[in-house]
Amino acid sequence: MRISKTLYLFFIPGFLLYFIFFIYPTASALFYSFTDWDGLSENFRYVGFENYERAFTGDSVFAKVFVNNLQFMFTVVVLQTLVALAFAILLVKNTKTNVFFRALYFFPTILSSVSVAFIWAFIYDPTFGILNSFLESAGLGAYTLGWLGDASIAIYCLAITQVWFHAGQMLIIFVAGLQSIPEDLYEVARIEGASKWQTFKSVTWPLLAPSATIVVAYTTIQSFKAFDLVFAMTGGGPNNATEIIATYIYEVAFRSYEFGYASAISVLFMIIIGIITYLQFKALRSDRVSY
Amino acid sequence: MLRRFPVIVYALLIIIPLIVVVLTSMKTIQQTFQNPLGVPEEGLQFENYVTLFEESNMAGYFMNSVIVTLFSVFFTLLFSAMIAFGITMLNNRLGSVIFAIFLLGMMVPAQVSMVPLYSLVLDLGLTNSLLGLILVNISVTLPIAVFILTGFMKTLPKELIEAAVIDGAGNWKVFARVVVPLSLPSMSAAAIFLSVIHWNDLLYPLLFVTDDTYVTLPLALLQFQGQYSTNYPMLFTGVIIASLPMVIAYVFLQRFFVAGITAGAMKG
């Protein structure tokens, strides 16, 4: 086919916006990360790798934030993947009730993070929250906790909220994956006299690997980006216990006006996500089989 | 029956908080403190809804969200469809390079560029304007939309496009009369995916809007938290008003929502 010149016009509006509001700011984050810019004044100095040195050696909060983010990520990835997979297996057949339950589980995904944050703030509220009220009425009053107010468990409380928020979406991906596994393979397993666990291990799981890759990769990225939820639910508190990288960038840039340092953390953030995504795809790809 | 038990328990974990939200929005704060889960003897009332509309610019926030979402979704779809069409028609290395450039954008989290993006929007005089929000929204969701639509357009039968070209149709005509109508299934899935993102976005209003005139619903909710603190009846009234359009749409278009949001996730 001959390509006429007007075809190039199709790229212009999108490319222009993408360049101005995405590529340019992302690239300038790299530039500002080598400066001491405060975000307001005209003047700033080139400071070399000072900001990066500070992130690695001079900032105990950043170290804590990084660990928080990893704790949040691991909890969400493990819990969300297990919950989604377990219920996908239970709800795999397209019966009317199963379709209803899947739609119900999916429901929280359409809410805004701020709404979900409020709902769960009420659940976790130490004085009249649903969770403590429930524990007390069940005679488990001894187990009531401060939840989000308790620095040692707050990040896990947030992780559970994140799972409630998004597991339904991952469940749908697993259901699609399970439904694409050919029925004859199960037939063969049955004839060979394989147990349920053996069938899962040698038929379902290997053929589910592509879906699992998507779920794990997506959940990981999502857990790094949980800015809205954390910001609205705890604001990073108590005592930075729930601060994650994304909220810390906001904090450093817009509360202490250290744009240069915030840019350096942003660049590190991008590198961390890049490495994790790469490692996951490598690890999960090796499990793949063809049939 | 044993299989059903966990399914029902998880369903309750979703339903009970939602019911509590609806009930609480129809209670006073005293009634909520006394009995967080129950229905008060005095019965339920809609006082909080009236108060919220009186005490805040709720109608305005709602309109802002509607305008920002409609324009952001429409132009993201239009521009990404044009790019996907361009990539499909080029069908060469340049097309792949353009595709890769957009793919890169999908991997970079929005928070990475929020600092320089803020100063850019400030320099352009686009803070405190709906236009600023719309332009940034389009730019940020363009990559994922390009990805979804390119994937779909590449599967369209080449013969149809070639036939149109042989008949002397220019690029615009092929785009508007052939490719877009054939791509409607994936475009509507993308539209739903984008609506949910844009309707619920908090980050950009938080960064760019300080003037009450331009506040959208998620930011308004966050400000209610400052205003009403732990007055959950008022907060939940806000939550319900802010969620209502998406909830209604979900009830009627459920299948498309699941397909649309999952397509976005699979490819994101």
Side-chain angles (χ1 to χ4, degrees):
Chain A
M1 237 185 315
R2 202 176 54 84
I3 296 160
S4 71
K5 288 266 161 13
T6 56
L7 189 61
Y8 295 103
L9 294 175
F10 280 80
F11 294 110
I12 292 176
F15 230 94
L16 222 58
L17 282 176
Y18 184 62
F19 184 83
I20 297 173
F21 292 102
F22 189 81
I23 296 187
Y24 170 71
T26 307
S28 47
L30 188 64
F31 169 76
Y32 288 128
S33 73
F34 295 105
T35 72
D36 66 350
W37 193 38
D38 62 4
L40 302 165
S41 62
E42 298 278 306
N43 305 317
F44 51 83
R45 267 180 333 114
Y46 171 79
V47 295
F49 281 90
E50 221 169 81
N51 289 323
Y52 290 95
E53 271 173 48
R54 178 174 160 199
F56 281 113
T57 55
D59 183 357
S60 61
V61 181
F62 180 65
K64 188 170 181 194
V65 165
F66 182 67
V67 173
N68 286 345
N69 216 142
L70 287 182
Q71 283 175 324
F72 183 72
M73 182 197 97
F74 279 119
T75 317
V76 173
V77 169
V78 171
L79 215 60
Q80 182 155 300
T81 308
L82 286 179
V83 167
L85 179 60
F87 286 107
I89 290 171
L90 291 174
L91 298 172
V92 66
K93 293 212 179 77
N94 285 335
T95 65
K96 258 201 172 129
T97 35
N98 284 359
V99 171
F100 166 79
F101 278 118
R102 278 187 239 151
L104 181 67
Y105 290 5
F106 188 85
F107 181 84
T109 311
I110 66 160
L111 299 174
S112 75
S113 304
V114 188
S115 301
V116 173
F118 288 179
I119 295 171
W120 280 82
F122 187 64
I123 292 176
Y124 286 135
D125 194 290
T127 41
F128 52 89
I130 302 178
L131 191 52
N132 279 352
S133 308
F134 173 78
L135 287 173
E136 256 154 41
S137 59
L140 297 166
Y143 295 96
T144 58
L145 290 166
W147 308 115
L148 292 175
D150 185 335
S152 58
I153 55 166
I155 192 86
Y156 299 105
C157 294
L158 276 172
I160 288 171
T161 304
Q162 174 79 0
V163 173
W164 185 85
F165 195 4
H166 290 293
Q169 194 183 358
M170 299 303 118
L171 179 145
I172 303 288
I173 295 175
F174 274 132
V175 167
L178 286 169
Q179 287 178 346
S180 71
I181 297 174
E183 198 51 44
D184 5 341
L185 289 175
Y186 288 109
E187 196 73 23
V188 173
R190 229 181 342 264
I191 294 167
E192 301 274 328
S195 71
K196 267 196 168 162
W197 170 244
Q198 279 172 325
T199 313
F200 178 80
K201 215 181 68 176
S202 25
V203 179
T204 312
W205 180 245
L207 292 176
L208 210 55
S211 314
T213 313
I214 293 168
V215 168
V216 171
Y218 189 70
T219 305
T220 307
I221 303 288
Q222 219 177 26
S223 68
F224 270 99
K225 292 204 231 174
F227 174 87
D228 301 18
L229 190 70
V230 176
F231 193 80
M233 219 163 143
T234 61
N239 233 329
N240 301 109
T242 56
E243 197 86 77
I244 59 171
I245 301 175
T247 56
Y248 189 57
I249 293 173
Y250 182 88
E251 207 62 40
V252 172
F254 299 103
R255 296 255 159 84
S256 25
Y257 294 100
E258 296 179 281
F259 273 44
Y261 184 46
S263 300
I265 299 173
S266 306
V267 173
L268 291 174
F269 185 33
M270 192 159 42
I271 294 170
I272 293 165
I273 290 195
I275 292 172
I276 291 179
T277 315
Y278 173 76
L279 289 178
Q280 275 176 349
F281 270 90
K282 246 186 108 179
L284 288 159
R285 275 261 160 80
S286 60
D287 286 354
R288 285 192 184 187
V289 291
S290 47
Y291 57 91
Chain B
M1 201 52 225
L2 204 64
R3 275 166 84 88
R4 278 280 165 248
F5 182 70
V7 171
I8 290 165
V9 169
Y10 197 75
L12 289 176
L13 285 180
I14 307 259
I15 292 174
I16 291 172
L18 298 177
I19 292 174
V20 169
V21 168
V22 176
L23 282 181
T24 307
S25 78
M26 294 187 269
K27 286 153 76 167
T28 66
I29 186 158
Q30 283 80 18
Q31 290 166 340
T32 308
F33 281 132
Q34 279 156 13
N35 185 358
L37 296 174
V39 179
E41 282 168 25
E42 301 90 332
L44 301 163
Q45 35 81 28
F46 286 93
E47 201 70 26
N48 297 327
Y49 290 83
V50 179
T51 315
L52 199 64
F53 272 97
E54 275 171 2
E55 283 184 3
S56 75
N57 180 21
M58 201 63 195
Y61 306 145
F62 199 90
M63 270 319 288
N64 288 342
S65 274
V66 170
I67 293 169
V68 169
T69 305
L70 284 181
F71 279 90
S72 304
V73 171
F74 180 80
F75 284 103
T76 307
L77 272 184
L78 176 66
F79 295 160
S80 61
M82 285 164 66
I83 291 168
F85 174 73
I87 294 172
T88 313
M89 292 294 275
L90 277 178
N91 200 24
N92 58 13
R93 177 162 291 173
L94 179 65
S96 321
V97 170
I98 294 174
F99 186 65
I101 291 174
F102 281 100
L103 202 67
L104 204 69
M106 271 176 20
M107 317 230 171
V108 180
Q111 284 91 2
V112 169
S113 59
M114 81 178 161
V115 176
L117 185 62
Y118 169 78
S119 44
L120 174 71
V121 170
L122 192 69
D123 288 345
L124 294 174
L126 288 171
T127 51
N128 288 319
S129 82
L130 298 184
L131 179 66
L133 290 176
I134 293 167
L135 291 176
V136 172
N137 276 343
I138 299 170
S139 319
V140 171
T141 47
L142 205 58
I144 181 104
V146 167
F147 194 81
I148 297 174
L149 296 183
T150 308
F152 188 83
M153 284 184 192
K154 289 218 156 148
T155 66
L156 291 177
K158 285 265 175 303
E159 300 78 27
L160 281 174
I161 299 172
E162 270 163 21
V165 174
I166 289 163
D167 284 348
N171 282 322
W172 289 104
K173 233 179 189 160
V174 178
F175 176 69
R177 299 270 171 83
V178 182
V179 174
V180 168
L182 287 174
S183 303
L184 282 181
S186 84
M187 285 182 76
S188 51
I192 285 175
F193 177 65
L194 294 170
S195 308
V196 175
I197 295 183
H198 292 145
W199 183 264
N200 291 331
D201 177 54
L202 172 70
L203 183 64
Y204 298 117
L206 183 70
L207 291 178
F208 308 138
V209 176
T210 47
D211 182 339
D212 195 58
T213 324
Y214 305 105
V215 167
T216 57
L217 287 168
L219 182 60
L221 284 183
L222 199 67
Q223 291 173 346
F224 291 158
Q225 196 182 26
Q227 191 180 341
Y228 296 111
S229 178
T230 53
N231 185 345
Y232 285 103
M234 289 305 275
L235 295 181
F236 287 165
T237 304
V239 164
I240 289 175
I241 295 169
S243 316
L244 213 54
M246 283 297 146
V247 173
I248 293 171
Y250 184 66
V251 170
F252 289 104
L253 303 169
Q254 197 193 91
R255 269 187 319 131
F256 299 97
F257 262 81
V258 173
I261 298 186
T262 314
M266 303 269 268
K267 282 146 189 171

